[in-house]
Amino acid sequence: MSERKRHVRAVLKDLLDRYISGSANHKEQKLVEHLYDAMDRGKSETDDLARIGEEIKAGVQQHIGKPRVSAFRLHTAWYAAASLFVVLGIYISYRIIDHYNTTDRPKQANLQNPSLFVGSQEHFDLLDTLPPGSHYTTINEEKVLALGTLAQTAGNSKLRIENPSRGVFSVLLDDSTQVWLNYMASLELDPSFNKSNRSVHVRGEIFFDVHKQYAMGRKVPFLVHSSLQTIEVLGTKFNVNTSNGLEENVLLSEGSIRLTHNHYGTQVLIKPGQQAFIQKDKPKILLIQSKNIEKANAWRKGLFYFDNENFADVVLEFEQWYGAEINIEPAIANLPITGMISRYEDIREVLNIIKMTNNINYSEKKGKIYVTQANP
């Protein structure tokens, strides 16, 4: 048995044991019932699988019945857990089990959707259920989650927003600052956010449009913390990217920024159009005049943007976004690519657009994509 299966079996046994003993919480009880009910919904593809499913279902039915009573006892809990594992491989998505295995968040949520966490207990799938005090609004024809009074009612709990989806997710904080979270980005608000301070923690790539705020006639700073840096702004637009653990960068569109290296204490002031690069093991902060402002504006609108970029660099961006493996012929590595392309769900659609305007072909073999120069 693989380590993965062994681990999942242990998870299922633990879940069923707590369900049987009555110690499972409400959400865990719902998950067990969801797994059980799934045996009714799915039909196996072979007679053997159908027979296994019916045998397990019949055995569990003796103890549960329908509708289920508040608690039940299985005299062979380990056998049930092991058998359920077989059926789950057929009927239930591995994603549900993996999620239970690695975290105590609710299991019913779609883990590919943007999510909001209140402390370590509450979890909201933001495309399914909104937390009290929040709502969706429209800003410049864009759907935006407005946190509203949520931060004020969360007490001493931190709020964390995660975006595991391959789409941009925008949030309006209760100080009227708007943020855009790129794929795999997260934003965490301190419990005292917009009460005694405006302080957030970030991972991944996020674009900020910070709203100016005043208290007793003075501007209230907005602080962005990451692993390597602390960014202090008053009212400005900027892009911060911490996706690379060894190097982070900040690109300023408007206003001004004071950036501090967390490890060495070195500081720089950034002006519009400048981009700062900070590395973990170097005290010096590199500051350049950047051409990437349009690129930062494009990603938050769901677009790829290329300005005379080498095809090899373009392919690297595609690999990171789609999680694909792409091999390119050396002859086209330096092919210049310019333009904006929608971030389609399927990488083939993107490659087809590039194919129409450039002398390339592509093929697929064993899960890899091969891009070659087209014949004249």
Side-chain angles (χ1 to χ4, degrees), residues 310-356:
N310 289 339
F311 188 51
D313 294 330
V314 171
V315 165
L316 179 61
E317 189 168 338
F318 290 161
E319 286 183 318
Q320 293 172 340
W321 181 259
Y322 290 104
E325 184 174 350
I326 307 173
N327 292 301
I328 63 173
E329 192 175 27
I332 58 174
N334 294 323
L335 178 70
I337 302 295
T338 296
M340 286 194 295
I341 307 173
S342 177
R343 287 179 167 177
Y344 295 102
E345 290 187 10
D346 194 329
I347 189 174
R348 299 168 188 81
E349 297 182 78
V350 176
L351 292 175
N352 283 334
I353 291 176
I354 296 179
K355 179 181 176 180
M356 287 190 295

Side-chain angles (χ1 to χ4, degrees), residues 55-152:
E55 288 178 0
I56 295 172
K57 185 175 184 301
V60 177
Q61 179 70 37
Q62 296 177 8
H63 301 276
I64 301 179
K66 285 195 173 182
R68 191 192 72 84
V69 295
S70 59
F72 68 93
R73 293 198 172 274
L74 289 178
H75 299 296
T76 55
W78 174 255
Y79 170 78
S83 301
L84 269 175
F85 170 75
V86 176
V87 178
L88 289 175
I90 306 163
Y91 295 98
I92 307 299
S93 166
Y94 258 130
R95 192 167 300 280
I96 297 175
I97 304 303
D98 286 341
H99 187 53
Y100 174 79
N101 178 40
T102 56
T103 178
D104 55 2
R105 300 171 190 165
K107 319 308 179 299
Q108 298 89 339
N110 184 338
L111 303 180
Q112 297 302 308
N113 290 341
S115 299
L116 184 144
F117 301 89
V118 182
S120 60
Q121 301 299 319
E122 294 186 273
H123 169 219
F124 298 89
D125 178 337
L126 295 175
L127 299 189
D128 179 46
T129 305
L130 292 183
S134 66
H135 64 279
Y136 278 108
T137 187
T138 301
I139 301 176
N140 296 327
E141 300 182 352
E142 181 181 18
K143 185 178 180 180
V144 179
L145 172 67
L147 293 186
T149 60
L150 175 61
Q152 299 175 14

